[in-house]
Amino acid sequence: MAKRIGSALLAIQTEGYLVDYHDFARDESAAALSLVYVDLSALREMHNNGILPSQDYERYQNLLAHMPSDGVFYPKTYHIGSGQYEYDASVNLIDQLIVGVHLAEMNHPPTDLIAFLKGEFRQHQRLAGRYTRESRKPDADYESPAVYGLAIILALQTNDLPWAQQLHERMLQFRDQDPAYPGGYVFDGNTHAFDNLFPLLAETLFEQSK
């Protein structure tokens, strides 16, 4: 099944990249790749199982390794034709953390992003879901269990157990808010899959690290 899926994906690449989407009915592909989709662990498995050629795997590694930063945040997308990276004015912290986790997997930890997040958490005891890129100020009032889950995973990847502990304590404050869903991160019957799956993964990894 993995080989079938991989072959279908590789057949519709754009200049050697798996872009954001492909419309099979129209035979049209996106012109950009969201960097959050460059999942190196998945690509590594594809490579190790003979699905993804070595040069393609190395291309994705280089895409992240040579990715620019504005001093804290990473770009949102990579435009295939121009080879240009593009930033969002309003930065989604979930996107940033996923990219940061992938960088840490390459032994390129996102030190500037981590320093910013630790500073925010130390000063405000919370991480907002979004930040304005230029001002570095919160661009939303909400907190996201997924943000804390991903931040815990990143902290564990960089062997920062004390920070992971602080994030874990904050994340658990959002659990069991709706009695109809014990153990879940649900608010008035409303939730998102990633706001439960990332915390669940983070909780498991955190317990294993102790």
Side-chain angles (χ1 to χ4, degrees):
M1 179 61 74
K3 289 182 177 179
R4 289 174 62 191
I5 295 172
S7 296
L9 291 173
L10 295 178
I12 48 88
Q13 292 183 105
T14 299
E15 298 183 29
Y17 290 97
L18 300 173
V19 293
D20 283 9
Y21 68 84
H22 179 78
D23 187 323
F24 284 90
R26 299 183 179 184
D27 193 26
E28 295 177 352
S29 295
L33 168 60
S34 294
L35 293 164
V36 71
Y37 292 148
V38 186
D39 187 339
L40 287 174
S41 59
L43 294 166
R44 186 184 309 115
E45 288 299 313
M46 292 174 68
H47 173 251
N48 291 342
N49 286 279
I51 300 170
L52 188 70
S54 295
Q55 64 269 23
D56 289 0
Y57 178 54
E58 291 171 4
R59 185 183 301 115
Y60 289 110
Q61 287 183 305
N62 290 332
L63 185 66
L64 291 190
H66 300 294
M67 175 177 54
S69 163
D70 69 359
V72 171
F73 299 123
Y74 294 104
K76 173 67 179 295
T77 55
Y78 175 73
H79 292 273
I80 308 301
S82 65
Q84 298 296 311
Y85 293 86
E86 182 180 358
Y87 292 89
D88 273 348
S90 179
V91 176
N92 186 317
L93 212 52
I94 290 177
D95 293 344
Q96 295 292 310
L97 284 162
I98 291 175
V99 171
V101 166
H102 293 161
L103 285 169
E105 291 173 351
M106 297 174 59
N107 295 318
H108 292 286
T111 53
D112 291 335
L113 176 64
I114 291 172
F116 170 76
L117 296 177
K118 293 180 78 170
E120 279 290 300
F121 194 79
R122 182 170 53 252
Q123 183 175 358
H124 305 291
Q125 297 301 304
R126 69 194 300 270
L127 295 175
R130 304 187 72 90
Y131 286 84
T132 301
R133 188 169 77 87
E134 289 192 0
S135 69
R136 316 294 202 213
K137 300 298 183 183
D139 196 29
D141 292 330
Y142 69 85
E143 294 174 77
S144 165
V147 163
Y148 289 111
L150 285 162
I152 290 167
I153 294 169
L154 181 57
L156 294 174
Q157 284 184 327
T158 54
N159 299 312
D160 194 339
L161 191 58
W163 190 43
Q165 174 74 47
Q166 296 174 41
L167 294 164
H168 185 258
E169 291 173 359
R170 180 60 178 167
M171 183 180 73
L172 292 184
Q173 295 178 21
F174 296 93
R175 194 170 66 181
D176 293 321
Q177 296 290 316
D178 190 323
Y181 301 93
Y185 292 84
V186 184
F187 311 92
D188 296 325
N190 185 32
T191 190
H192 299 280
F194 53 80
D195 273 329
N196 290 273
L197 295 176
F198 283 130
L200 180 61
L201 179 59
E203 288 179 35
T204 302
L205 294 174
F206 181 75
E207 290 302 320
Q208 292 174 348
S209 71
K210 293 165 62 177

